[in-house]
Amino acid sequence: MTDRAPLSKGEMEVARVLWELGRATVRQVHEAFPPERAVDFSTVQTYLRRLDAKGYVRAWLEGRTRVYAPLVKPTTVIRETVDDLVDRLFGGRALPLVRHLIERHDIDEGDLAELRELLDRLEGQSDA
Amino acid sequence: MTDRAPLSKGEMEVARVLWELGRATVRQVHEAFPPERAVDFSTVQTYLRRLDAKGYVRAWLEGRTRVYAPLVKPTTVIRETVDDLVDRLFGGRALPLVRHLIERHDIDEGDLAELRELLDRLEGQSDA
DNA sequence: ATCCTCGCCGTACATTTGTACGTGATTCGT
DNA sequence: ACGAATCACGTACAAATGTACGGCGAGGAT
């Protein structure tokens, strides 16, 4: 409901790093960035500022250093982002996407087991 | 490889309609738009033009009417779009997304069966 | 012949996104 | 105590995005 402005691609990358770190300064986020995806320190800074403005993170000063922490949970962002994608690209049907993910991405043994369990649970829940 | 510029959200919606219609004029795409997601005729026109420029569709004149048809297949766009999303939002791990989709979207009985089959097939394939 | 309508095409324009610099303040090393 | 490093913060700016208007030509109605 909170009708946040959606995250852009770049903002997502930064948000993900912040979720991993839990709480971090600009520098920490910048350093945690995958080396092949190098961006400037101030670019990260800008993204964090924008994430703050959009309400995805909060920030405060600790001494003279600004510290950022996530405000919304990954699951929330996933929901909003993915649902939007599913709507636009598949008109709301999720299965084609699931199929793609399973077939193409490396879902390892453990993941397969987990999926299977999930299916079992769901089947139990349905009308039957 | 063909390194097309990525589709924006709006472009995706239009592309999806065109995939459904297979071949359509601006007006047809415009009319096929879900009523709650109403956009102007010329907005659709602009999107189709941009899809053409980006190489996702092709267009030609039939009499004095321009007709558009998809050039790249849905699966291709899905791959490019979703893989990018998985990278940015999950650092490449697909399972969290799959879990979300299965739990939250309506996966009906038939879909469940299909998924189960898919899992079976994959398990057979792995090294074990 | 005239006028209306439809569609193409060029153009527009505010906002968002990606990417970053420069300035002024602060602190650390020596 | 002086220069070097470090930050926050304001600002910049081109490209992409979302959304749309207006002119002009072709075809149909009167």
Side-chain angles (χ1 to χ4, degrees), chain A residues 9 13 16 78-79 82-83 88-91 95 97 99-100 102 104-105 109 111-112 114 116 119-120 122-123 126, chain B residues 9 13 16 78-79 82-84 88-91 95 97 99-100 102 104-105 109 111-112 114 116 119-120 122 126:
Chain A
K9 288 156 188 251
E13 289 181 282
R16 183 167 68 79
I78 293 168
R79 184 162 30 71
V82 174
D83 292 359
R88 294 186 196 256
L89 209 45
F90 306 96
L95 185 67
L97 182 49
R99 201 195 345 255
H100 167 77
I102 294 182
R104 175 160 158 65
H105 286 272
E109 289 295 307
D111 288 354
L112 278 182
E114 192 178 329
R116 205 171 278 283
L119 290 189
D120 288 343
L122 277 184
E123 208 140 275
S126 55
Chain B
K9 288 158 188 249
E13 288 181 283
R16 184 167 68 79
I78 293 168
R79 184 162 30 73
V82 174
D83 292 358
D84 183 70
R88 292 184 197 258
L89 207 46
F90 306 96
L95 185 67
L97 181 49
R99 195 185 2 242
H100 167 78
I102 293 182
R104 175 160 159 63
H105 285 272
E109 288 295 307
D111 288 355
L112 277 182
E114 191 178 330
R116 207 173 276 282
L119 290 190
D120 287 343
L122 278 184
S126 58

CSV table of all heavy atoms in Angstrom, one decimal, chain A residues 9 13 16 78-79 82-83 88-91 95 97 99-100 102 104-105 109 111-112 114 116 119-120 122-123 126, chain B residues 9 13 16 78-79 82-84 88-91 95 97 99-100 102 104-105 109 111-112 114 116 119-120 122 126:
chain,number,residue,atom,x,y,z
A,9,LYS,N,17.0,-0.4,-11.7
A,9,LYS,CA,17.9,-1.5,-11.7
A,9,LYS,C,19.1,-1.2,-10.9
A,9,LYS,O,19.6,-2.1,-10.1
A,9,LYS,CB,18.4,-1.8,-13.2
A,9,LYS,CG,17.3,-2.4,-14.1
A,9,LYS,CD,17.6,-2.1,-15.5
A,9,LYS,CE,16.4,-2.6,-16.4
A,9,LYS,NZ,16.8,-3.8,-17.2
A,13,GLU,N,20.7,-3.1,-7.2
A,13,GLU,CA,22.0,-3.6,-6.9
A,13,GLU,C,22.5,-3.1,-5.5
A,13,GLU,O,23.0,-3.8,-4.7
A,13,GLU,CB,23.0,-3.2,-8.0
A,13,GLU,CG,22.8,-3.9,-9.3
A,13,GLU,CD,23.8,-3.5,-10.3
A,13,GLU,OE1,23.7,-2.4,-10.8
A,13,GLU,OE2,24.8,-4.2,-10.5
A,16,ARG,N,20.6,-4.5,-2.6
A,16,ARG,CA,20.9,-5.9,-2.3
A,16,ARG,C,22.2,-6.0,-1.4
A,16,ARG,O,22.2,-6.7,-0.5
A,16,ARG,CB,21.1,-6.7,-3.6
A,16,ARG,CG,21.5,-8.2,-3.3
A,16,ARG,CD,21.4,-9.0,-4.5
A,16,ARG,NE,22.4,-8.7,-5.5
A,16,ARG,CZ,23.6,-9.1,-5.4
A,16,ARG,NH1,24.0,-9.9,-4.3
A,16,ARG,NH2,24.5,-8.8,-6.3
A,78,ILE,N,10.9,-7.8,-3.6
A,78,ILE,CA,10.7,-8.9,-4.5
A,78,ILE,C,9.3,-9.0,-5.0
A,78,ILE,O,9.0,-9.1,-6.2
A,78,ILE,CB,11.1,-10.3,-3.9
A,78,ILE,CG1,12.6,-10.3,-3.6
A,78,ILE,CG2,10.7,-11.4,-4.8
A,78,ILE,CD1,13.0,-11.5,-2.7
A,79,ARG,N,8.4,-8.9,-4.0
A,79,ARG,CA,7.0,-9.0,-4.3
A,79,ARG,C,6.6,-7.9,-5.3
A,79,ARG,O,6.1,-8.2,-6.4
A,79,ARG,CB,6.2,-8.9,-3.1
A,79,ARG,CG,4.7,-9.1,-3.3
A,79,ARG,CD,3.9,-9.4,-2.0
A,79,ARG,NE,4.4,-8.9,-0.8
A,79,ARG,CZ,4.4,-7.6,-0.4
A,79,ARG,NH1,3.9,-6.7,-1.3
A,79,ARG,NH2,4.9,-7.2,0.7
A,82,VAL,N,8.7,-8.3,-8.8
A,82,VAL,CA,8.4,-9.5,-9.6
A,82,VAL,C,7.0,-9.5,-10.0
A,82,VAL,O,6.7,-9.8,-11.2
A,82,VAL,CB,8.8,-10.7,-8.8
A,82,VAL,CG1,8.4,-12.0,-9.6
A,82,VAL,CG2,10.3,-10.8,-8.5
A,83,ASP,N,6.1,-9.1,-9.2
A,83,ASP,CA,4.7,-9.1,-9.6
A,83,ASP,C,4.4,-8.1,-10.7
A,83,ASP,O,3.7,-8.4,-11.6
A,83,ASP,CB,3.8,-8.7,-8.4
A,83,ASP,CG,3.8,-9.8,-7.3
A,83,ASP,OD1,4.5,-10.8,-7.5
A,83,ASP,OD2,3.2,-9.6,-6.2
A,88,ARG,N,3.4,-7.4,-16.5
A,88,ARG,CA,3.7,-6.8,-17.8
A,88,ARG,C,4.2,-7.8,-18.8
A,88,ARG,O,3.8,-7.6,-20.0
A,88,ARG,CB,4.8,-5.8,-17.6
A,88,ARG,CG,4.4,-4.6,-16.7
A,88,ARG,CD,5.4,-3.5,-16.7
A,88,ARG,NE,5.2,-2.6,-15.6
A,88,ARG,CZ,4.7,-1.4,-15.8
A,88,ARG,NH1,4.4,-1.0,-17.0
A,88,ARG,NH2,4.6,-0.6,-14.8
A,89,LEU,N,4.9,-8.8,-18.4
A,89,LEU,CA,5.5,-9.6,-19.4
A,89,LEU,C,4.7,-10.9,-19.6
A,89,LEU,O,4.7,-11.5,-20.7
A,89,LEU,CB,6.9,-10.0,-18.9
A,89,LEU,CG,8.0,-10.4,-19.9
A,89,LEU,CD1,8.0,-9.4,-21.1
A,89,LEU,CD2,9.3,-10.4,-19.2
A,90,PHE,N,3.9,-11.3,-18.7
A,90,PHE,CA,3.1,-12.5,-18.8
A,90,PHE,C,1.6,-12.3,-18.5
A,90,PHE,O,0.9,-13.3,-18.4
A,90,PHE,CB,3.6,-13.6,-17.9
A,90,PHE,CG,5.1,-13.8,-18.0
A,90,PHE,CD1,6.0,-13.2,-17.1
A,90,PHE,CD2,5.6,-14.7,-19.0
A,90,PHE,CE1,7.3,-13.4,-17.3
A,90,PHE,CE2,6.9,-14.9,-19.1
A,90,PHE,CZ,7.8,-14.3,-18.2
A,91,GLY,N,1.2,-11.1,-18.4
A,91,GLY,CA,-0.2,-10.9,-18.1
A,91,GLY,C,-0.6,-11.6,-16.8
A,91,GLY,O,-1.8,-12.0,-16.6
A,95,LEU,N,3.6,-19.3,-14.2
A,95,LEU,CA,4.3,-20.5,-14.6
A,95,LEU,C,5.4,-20.4,-15.6
A,95,LEU,O,6.4,-21.0,-15.4
A,95,LEU,CB,3.2,-21.6,-15.0
A,95,LEU,CG,3.9,-22.9,-15.2
A,95,LEU,CD1,4.4,-23.5,-14.0
A,95,LEU,CD2,3.0,-23.9,-15.9
A,97,LEU,N,7.4,-18.2,-16.2
A,97,LEU,CA,8.6,-17.7,-15.5
A,97,LEU,C,9.3,-18.7,-14.6
A,97,LEU,O,10.5,-18.9,-14.7
A,97,LEU,CB,8.2,-16.4,-14.7
A,97,LEU,CG,9.3,-15.7,-14.0
A,97,LEU,CD1,10.5,-15.4,-14.9
A,97,LEU,CD2,8.8,-14.4,-13.4
A,99,ARG,N,9.1,-21.9,-14.9
A,99,ARG,CA,9.7,-22.9,-15.8
A,99,ARG,C,11.0,-22.4,-16.3
A,99,ARG,O,12.0,-23.1,-16.2
A,99,ARG,CB,8.8,-23.1,-17.0
A,99,ARG,CG,9.0,-24.5,-17.6
A,99,ARG,CD,8.4,-24.6,-19.0
A,99,ARG,NE,7.4,-23.6,-19.3
A,99,ARG,CZ,6.1,-23.9,-19.3
A,99,ARG,NH1,5.6,-25.1,-19.0
A,99,ARG,NH2,5.3,-22.9,-19.5
A,100,HIS,N,11.1,-21.2,-16.7
A,100,HIS,CA,12.3,-20.6,-17.2
A,100,HIS,C,13.4,-20.7,-16.2
A,100,HIS,O,14.5,-21.1,-16.4
A,100,HIS,CB,12.1,-19.2,-17.7
A,100,HIS,CG,13.4,-18.5,-17.9
A,100,HIS,ND1,14.2,-18.6,-19.0
A,100,HIS,CD2,14.1,-17.6,-17.1
A,100,HIS,CE1,15.3,-17.9,-18.9
A,100,HIS,NE2,15.2,-17.2,-17.8
A,102,ILE,N,13.7,-22.5,-13.5
A,102,ILE,CA,14.1,-23.9,-13.1
A,102,ILE,C,15.0,-24.5,-14.2
A,102,ILE,O,16.0,-25.1,-13.9
A,102,ILE,CB,12.9,-24.8,-12.8
A,102,ILE,CG1,12.2,-24.2,-11.6
A,102,ILE,CG2,13.3,-26.2,-12.6
A,102,ILE,CD1,11.0,-25.1,-11.2
A,104,ARG,N,16.7,-23.0,-16.6
A,104,ARG,CA,17.9,-22.3,-17.1
A,104,ARG,C,18.9,-22.0,-16.0
A,104,ARG,O,20.1,-22.0,-16.2
A,104,ARG,CB,17.5,-21.0,-17.8
A,104,ARG,CG,18.6,-20.2,-18.2
A,104,ARG,CD,18.2,-19.2,-19.2
A,104,ARG,NE,19.1,-18.2,-19.2
A,104,ARG,CZ,20.4,-18.3,-19.6
A,104,ARG,NH1,20.9,-19.5,-19.9
A,104,ARG,NH2,21.2,-17.3,-19.5
A,105,HIS,N,18.4,-21.7,-14.8
A,105,HIS,CA,19.4,-21.4,-13.8
A,105,HIS,C,19.8,-22.6,-13.0
A,105,HIS,O,19.0,-23.6,-12.9
A,105,HIS,CB,18.7,-20.3,-12.8
A,105,HIS,CG,18.7,-19.0,-13.5
A,105,HIS,ND1,19.7,-18.1,-13.4
A,105,HIS,CD2,17.7,-18.4,-14.2
A,105,HIS,CE1,19.4,-17.0,-14.1
A,105,HIS,NE2,18.2,-17.2,-14.6
A,109,GLU,N,20.9,-29.6,-6.1
A,109,GLU,CA,20.2,-30.7,-5.4
A,109,GLU,C,19.3,-30.3,-4.3
A,109,GLU,O,18.2,-30.6,-4.2
A,109,GLU,CB,21.2,-31.8,-4.9
A,109,GLU,CG,21.9,-32.5,-6.0
A,109,GLU,CD,20.9,-33.4,-6.8
A,109,GLU,OE1,20.2,-34.2,-6.1
A,109,GLU,OE2,20.9,-33.3,-8.0
A,111,ASP,N,18.2,-27.3,-3.6
A,111,ASP,CA,17.1,-26.5,-4.0
A,111,ASP,C,16.0,-27.3,-4.6
A,111,ASP,O,14.8,-27.1,-4.3
A,111,ASP,CB,17.6,-25.6,-5.1
A,111,ASP,CG,18.5,-24.5,-4.6
A,111,ASP,OD1,18.7,-24.4,-3.3
A,111,ASP,OD2,19.1,-23.7,-5.4
A,112,LEU,N,16.3,-28.4,-5.3
A,112,LEU,CA,15.3,-29.2,-5.9
A,112,LEU,C,14.5,-29.9,-4.8
A,112,LEU,O,13.3,-29.9,-4.9
A,112,LEU,CB,16.0,-30.3,-6.7
A,112,LEU,CG,16.4,-29.9,-8.2
A,112,LEU,CD1,17.0,-31.1,-8.9
A,112,LEU,CD2,15.2,-29.4,-8.9
A,114,GLU,N,14.0,-28.8,-1.9
A,114,GLU,CA,13.2,-27.8,-1.2
A,114,GLU,C,11.9,-27.5,-2.0
A,114,GLU,O,10.8,-27.3,-1.5
A,114,GLU,CB,14.0,-26.5,-1.0
A,114,GLU,CG,13.3,-25.5,-0.1
A,114,GLU,CD,14.1,-24.3,0.2
A,114,GLU,OE1,15.3,-24.4,0.2
A,114,GLU,OE2,13.5,-23.2,0.4
A,116,ARG,N,10.5,-29.4,-4.1
A,116,ARG,CA,9.6,-30.6,-4.1
A,116,ARG,C,8.7,-30.5,-2.8
A,116,ARG,O,7.5,-30.8,-2.8
A,116,ARG,CB,10.5,-31.8,-4.0
A,116,ARG,CG,9.8,-33.1,-4.6
A,116,ARG,CD,10.8,-34.2,-4.7
A,116,ARG,NE,11.6,-34.1,-5.9
A,116,ARG,CZ,11.1,-34.4,-7.1
A,116,ARG,NH1,9.9,-34.9,-7.2
A,116,ARG,NH2,11.8,-34.3,-8.2
A,119,LEU,N,6.1,-28.0,-3.1
A,119,LEU,CA,5.0,-28.5,-3.9
A,119,LEU,C,4.0,-29.4,-3.1
A,119,LEU,O,2.8,-29.3,-3.2
A,119,LEU,CB,5.5,-29.3,-5.2
A,119,LEU,CG,6.2,-28.4,-6.2
A,119,LEU,CD1,6.4,-29.3,-7.5
A,119,LEU,CD2,5.3,-27.2,-6.6
A,120,ASP,N,4.7,-30.3,-2.3
A,120,ASP,CA,3.9,-31.2,-1.5
A,120,ASP,C,3.0,-30.4,-0.6
A,120,ASP,O,1.8,-30.7,-0.5
A,120,ASP,CB,4.8,-32.1,-0.7
A,120,ASP,CG,5.5,-33.1,-1.5
A,120,ASP,OD1,5.0,-33.3,-2.7
A,120,ASP,OD2,6.5,-33.7,-1.1
A,122,LEU,N,1.8,-27.4,-0.9
A,122,LEU,CA,0.8,-26.7,-1.6
A,122,LEU,C,-0.3,-27.7,-2.0
A,122,LEU,O,-1.5,-27.4,-1.9
A,122,LEU,CB,1.3,-26.1,-2.9
A,122,LEU,CG,2.0,-24.7,-2.7
A,122,LEU,CD1,2.4,-24.2,-4.0
A,122,LEU,CD2,1.0,-23.8,-2.0
A,123,GLU,N,0.1,-28.8,-2.4
A,123,GLU,CA,-0.9,-29.8,-2.9
A,123,GLU,C,-1.8,-30.2,-1.7
A,123,GLU,O,-3.0,-30.4,-1.9
A,123,GLU,CB,-0.2,-31.0,-3.5
A,123,GLU,CG,-1.1,-31.7,-4.5
A,123,GLU,CD,-0.2,-32.1,-5.7
A,123,GLU,OE1,0.0,-31.3,-6.6
A,123,GLU,OE2,0.2,-33.3,-5.7
A,126,SER,N,-4.6,-27.6,-1.1
A,126,SER,CA,-5.7,-27.3,-2.1
A,126,SER,C,-6.9,-28.0,-1.7
A,126,SER,O,-7.0,-28.8,-0.7
A,126,SER,CB,-5.2,-27.6,-3.5
A,126,SER,OG,-4.8,-28.9,-3.6
B,9,LYS,N,9.7,-1.0,-18.9
B,9,LYS,CA,8.5,-1.6,-18.5
B,9,LYS,C,7.3,-1.4,-19.5
B,9,LYS,O,6.6,-2.3,-19.8
B,9,LYS,CB,8.1,-1.0,-17.1
B,9,LYS,CG,8.9,-1.4,-16.0
B,9,LYS,CD,8.9,-0.4,-14.8
B,9,LYS,CE,9.9,-0.8,-13.7
B,9,LYS,NZ,9.2,-1.2,-12.5
B,13,GLU,N,4.9,-4.1,-21.9
B,13,GLU,CA,3.5,-4.3,-22.0
B,13,GLU,C,3.0,-4.3,-23.5
B,13,GLU,O,2.2,-5.1,-23.9
B,13,GLU,CB,2.8,-3.1,-21.3
B,13,GLU,CG,2.9,-3.2,-19.8
B,13,GLU,CD,2.1,-2.0,-19.2
B,13,GLU,OE1,2.7,-0.9,-19.3
B,13,GLU,OE2,1.0,-2.2,-18.7
B,16,ARG,N,4.1,-7.5,-25.2
B,16,ARG,CA,3.3,-8.6,-24.9
B,16,ARG,C,2.0,-8.7,-25.7
B,16,ARG,O,1.6,-9.7,-26.2
B,16,ARG,CB,3.0,-8.6,-23.4
B,16,ARG,CG,2.2,-9.9,-23.0
B,16,ARG,CD,2.1,-10.0,-21.6
B,16,ARG,NE,1.3,-9.0,-20.9
B,16,ARG,CZ,0.0,-9.0,-20.9
B,16,ARG,NH1,-0.7,-10.0,-21.5
B,16,ARG,NH2,-0.7,-8.0,-20.3
B,78,ILE,N,12.3,-12.9,-22.2
B,78,ILE,CA,12.2,-13.4,-20.8
B,78,ILE,C,13.6,-13.7,-20.3
B,78,ILE,O,13.9,-13.3,-19.2
B,78,ILE,CB,11.3,-14.7,-20.8
B,78,ILE,CG1,9.9,-14.4,-21.1
B,78,ILE,CG2,11.4,-15.4,-19.4
B,78,ILE,CD1,9.1,-15.6,-21.4
B,79,ARG,N,14.3,-14.4,-21.1
B,79,ARG,CA,15.7,-14.7,-20.6
B,79,ARG,C,16.4,-13.5,-20.3
B,79,ARG,O,16.9,-13.4,-19.1
B,79,ARG,CB,16.4,-15.5,-21.7
B,79,ARG,CG,17.7,-16.0,-21.3
B,79,ARG,CD,18.2,-17.2,-22.2
B,79,ARG,NE,17.8,-17.1,-23.6
B,79,ARG,CZ,18.2,-16.3,-24.5
B,79,ARG,NH1,19.1,-15.3,-24.2
B,79,ARG,NH2,17.7,-16.3,-25.8
B,82,VAL,N,14.7,-11.5,-17.2
B,82,VAL,CA,14.7,-12.2,-15.9
B,82,VAL,C,16.1,-12.5,-15.4
B,82,VAL,O,16.3,-12.3,-14.2
B,82,VAL,CB,13.8,-13.5,-16.0
B,82,VAL,CG1,13.9,-14.3,-14.7
B,82,VAL,CG2,12.4,-13.2,-16.4
B,83,ASP,N,17.0,-12.8,-16.3
B,83,ASP,CA,18.3,-13.1,-15.8
B,83,ASP,C,18.9,-11.8,-15.2
B,83,ASP,O,19.6,-11.9,-14.2
B,83,ASP,CB,19.2,-13.6,-17.0
B,83,ASP,CG,18.7,-15.0,-17.4
B,83,ASP,OD1,17.8,-15.5,-16.8
B,83,ASP,OD2,19.3,-15.5,-18.4
B,84,ASP,N,18.7,-10.7,-15.9
B,84,ASP,CA,19.2,-9.5,-15.3
B,84,ASP,C,18.6,-9.2,-13.9
B,84,ASP,O,19.3,-8.9,-13.0
B,84,ASP,CB,18.8,-8.3,-16.3
B,84,ASP,CG,19.4,-7.0,-15.8
B,84,ASP,OD1,20.6,-6.9,-15.9
B,84,ASP,OD2,18.6,-6.2,-15.4
B,88,ARG,N,20.6,-8.9,-10.4
B,88,ARG,CA,20.6,-7.6,-9.6
B,88,ARG,C,20.0,-7.8,-8.2
B,88,ARG,O,20.4,-7.2,-7.2
B,88,ARG,CB,19.9,-6.5,-10.3
B,88,ARG,CG,20.7,-6.1,-11.5
B,88,ARG,CD,20.0,-4.9,-12.2
B,88,ARG,NE,20.4,-4.7,-13.5
B,88,ARG,CZ,21.3,-3.8,-13.9
B,88,ARG,NH1,21.8,-3.0,-13.0
B,88,ARG,NH2,21.7,-3.6,-15.1
B,89,LEU,N,18.9,-8.6,-8.2
B,89,LEU,CA,18.2,-8.6,-7.0
B,89,LEU,C,18.6,-9.8,-6.1
B,89,LEU,O,18.4,-9.8,-4.9
B,89,LEU,CB,16.7,-8.7,-7.3
B,89,LEU,CG,15.7,-8.2,-6.4
B,89,LEU,CD1,16.0,-6.8,-5.8
B,89,LEU,CD2,14.3,-8.1,-7.0
B,90,PHE,N,19.1,-10.8,-6.7
B,90,PHE,CA,19.5,-12.0,-5.9
B,90,PHE,C,20.9,-12.5,-6.1
B,90,PHE,O,21.3,-13.5,-5.7
B,90,PHE,CB,18.6,-13.2,-6.3
B,90,PHE,CG,17.1,-12.8,-6.2
B,90,PHE,CD1,16.4,-12.4,-7.3
B,90,PHE,CD2,16.5,-12.9,-5.0
B,90,PHE,CE1,15.1,-12.1,-7.2
B,90,PHE,CE2,15.1,-12.6,-4.9
B,90,PHE,CZ,14.4,-12.2,-6.0
B,91,GLY,N,21.7,-11.6,-6.8
B,91,GLY,CA,23.1,-12.0,-7.1
B,91,GLY,C,23.2,-13.4,-7.8
B,91,GLY,O,24.1,-14.1,-7.6
B,95,LEU,N,16.5,-19.5,-6.8
B,95,LEU,CA,15.5,-20.2,-5.9
B,95,LEU,C,14.6,-19.2,-5.1
B,95,LEU,O,13.4,-19.4,-5.1
B,95,LEU,CB,16.2,-21.1,-4.9
B,95,LEU,CG,15.1,-21.9,-4.1
B,95,LEU,CD1,14.4,-22.9,-5.0
B,95,LEU,CD2,15.8,-22.7,-3.0
B,97,LEU,N,13.4,-16.5,-5.9
B,97,LEU,CA,12.4,-16.0,-6.8
B,97,LEU,C,11.4,-17.1,-7.1
B,97,LEU,O,10.2,-16.9,-7.1
B,97,LEU,CB,13.1,-15.5,-8.1
B,97,LEU,CG,12.2,-14.9,-9.2
B,97,LEU,CD1,11.3,-13.9,-8.6
B,97,LEU,CD2,13.1,-14.3,-10.3
B,99,ARG,N,10.6,-19.6,-5.3
B,99,ARG,CA,9.8,-19.8,-4.1
B,99,ARG,C,8.7,-18.8,-4.1
B,99,ARG,O,7.5,-19.1,-3.8
B,99,ARG,CB,10.6,-19.7,-2.9
B,99,ARG,CG,10.0,-20.3,-1.7
B,99,ARG,CD,10.7,-20.2,-0.4
B,99,ARG,NE,12.0,-19.5,-0.6
B,99,ARG,CZ,13.2,-20.0,-0.3
B,99,ARG,NH1,13.2,-21.3,0.1
B,99,ARG,NH2,14.3,-19.3,-0.5
B,100,HIS,N,9.1,-17.5,-4.3
B,100,HIS,CA,8.1,-16.5,-4.2
B,100,HIS,C,6.9,-16.7,-5.2
B,100,HIS,O,5.8,-16.6,-4.9
B,100,HIS,CB,8.7,-15.1,-4.5
B,100,HIS,CG,7.8,-14.0,-4.7
B,100,HIS,ND1,7.1,-13.4,-3.7
B,100,HIS,CD2,7.3,-13.5,-5.9
B,100,HIS,CE1,6.3,-12.5,-4.3
B,100,HIS,NE2,6.4,-12.5,-5.6
B,102,ILE,N,5.9,-19.4,-6.6
B,102,ILE,CA,5.0,-20.5,-6.4
B,102,ILE,C,4.1,-20.2,-5.2
B,102,ILE,O,2.9,-20.6,-5.2
B,102,ILE,CB,5.9,-21.8,-6.1
B,102,ILE,CG1,6.6,-22.2,-7.4
B,102,ILE,CG2,5.0,-22.9,-5.6
B,102,ILE,CD1,7.5,-23.4,-7.2
B,104,ARG,N,3.1,-17.3,-4.0
B,104,ARG,CA,2.2,-16.2,-4.0
B,104,ARG,C,1.3,-16.2,-5.2
B,104,ARG,O,0.2,-15.7,-5.1
B,104,ARG,CB,3.1,-14.9,-4.0
B,104,ARG,CG,2.3,-13.7,-4.2
B,104,ARG,CD,3.1,-12.5,-3.7
B,104,ARG,NE,2.5,-11.3,-4.2
B,104,ARG,CZ,1.3,-10.9,-4.0
B,104,ARG,NH1,0.5,-11.6,-3.2
B,104,ARG,NH2,0.8,-9.8,-4.6
B,105,HIS,N,1.7,-16.7,-6.3
B,105,HIS,CA,0.9,-16.6,-7.5
B,105,HIS,C,0.0,-17.8,-7.6
B,105,HIS,O,0.4,-18.9,-7.1
B,105,HIS,CB,1.7,-16.3,-8.8
B,105,HIS,CG,2.3,-15.0,-8.8
B,105,HIS,ND1,1.6,-13.9,-9.4
B,105,HIS,CD2,3.4,-14.4,-8.3
B,105,HIS,CE1,2.3,-12.8,-9.3
B,105,HIS,NE2,3.4,-13.1,-8.6
B,109,GLU,N,-3.8,-26.5,-10.2
B,109,GLU,CA,-3.5,-28.0,-10.2
B,109,GLU,C,-2.6,-28.4,-11.4
B,109,GLU,O,-1.6,-29.1,-11.2
B,109,GLU,CB,-4.8,-28.7,-10.2
B,109,GLU,CG,-5.6,-28.7,-9.0
B,109,GLU,CD,-4.9,-29.4,-7.8
B,109,GLU,OE1,-4.5,-30.5,-8.0
B,109,GLU,OE2,-4.7,-28.7,-6.8
B,111,ASP,N,-0.7,-26.7,-13.3
B,111,ASP,CA,0.6,-26.2,-13.2
B,111,ASP,C,1.5,-26.9,-12.2
B,111,ASP,O,2.6,-27.2,-12.5
B,111,ASP,CB,0.5,-24.7,-12.7
B,111,ASP,CG,0.0,-23.8,-13.8
B,111,ASP,OD1,-0.2,-24.3,-14.9
B,111,ASP,OD2,-0.2,-22.6,-13.5
B,112,LEU,N,0.9,-27.3,-11.1
B,112,LEU,CA,1.6,-28.0,-10.1
B,112,LEU,C,2.1,-29.3,-10.7
B,112,LEU,O,3.3,-29.7,-10.5
B,112,LEU,CB,0.7,-28.3,-8.9
B,112,LEU,CG,0.6,-27.2,-7.9
B,112,LEU,CD1,-0.2,-27.6,-6.7
B,112,LEU,CD2,2.0,-26.8,-7.4
B,114,GLU,N,2.7,-30.0,-13.7
B,114,GLU,CA,3.7,-29.8,-14.7
B,114,GLU,C,5.1,-29.5,-14.0
B,114,GLU,O,6.1,-30.0,-14.5
B,114,GLU,CB,3.3,-28.6,-15.6
B,114,GLU,CG,4.2,-28.4,-16.8
B,114,GLU,CD,3.9,-27.3,-17.7
B,114,GLU,OE1,2.7,-27.0,-17.7
B,114,GLU,OE2,4.8,-26.7,-18.3
B,116,ARG,N,6.0,-30.5,-11.1
B,116,ARG,CA,6.5,-31.8,-10.6
B,116,ARG,C,7.2,-32.6,-11.6
B,116,ARG,O,8.3,-33.2,-11.4
B,116,ARG,CB,5.3,-32.6,-10.0
B,116,ARG,CG,5.6,-33.5,-8.9
B,116,ARG,CD,4.3,-34.0,-8.3
B,116,ARG,NE,3.7,-33.1,-7.4
B,116,ARG,CZ,4.1,-33.0,-6.1
B,116,ARG,NH1,5.1,-33.7,-5.7
B,116,ARG,NH2,3.5,-32.2,-5.3
B,119,LEU,N,10.6,-31.2,-12.3
B,119,LEU,CA,11.5,-31.6,-11.3
B,119,LEU,C,12.0,-33.0,-11.5
B,119,LEU,O,13.2,-33.3,-11.4
B,119,LEU,CB,10.9,-31.4,-9.9
B,119,LEU,CG,10.6,-30.0,-9.4
B,119,LEU,CD1,10.2,-30.0,-8.0
B,119,LEU,CD2,11.8,-29.1,-9.7
B,120,ASP,N,11.1,-33.9,-11.8
B,120,ASP,CA,11.5,-35.3,-12.0
B,120,ASP,C,12.5,-35.4,-13.1
B,120,ASP,O,13.6,-36.0,-13.0
B,120,ASP,CB,10.3,-36.1,-12.4
B,120,ASP,CG,9.4,-36.3,-11.2
B,120,ASP,OD1,9.9,-36.1,-10.0
B,120,ASP,OD2,8.2,-36.7,-11.4
B,122,LEU,N,14.6,-33.1,-14.2
B,122,LEU,CA,15.8,-32.6,-13.8
B,122,LEU,C,16.6,-33.5,-12.9
B,122,LEU,O,17.8,-33.6,-13.1
B,122,LEU,CB,15.6,-31.2,-13.1
B,122,LEU,CG,15.4,-30.0,-14.0
B,122,LEU,CD1,15.3,-28.8,-13.2
B,122,LEU,CD2,16.6,-29.9,-15.0
B,126,SER,N,20.6,-35.1,-13.4
B,126,SER,CA,21.8,-34.7,-12.6
B,126,SER,C,22.8,-35.8,-12.4
B,126,SER,O,22.5,-37.0,-12.7
B,126,SER,CB,21.5,-34.0,-11.3
B,126,SER,OG,20.7,-34.9,-10.5
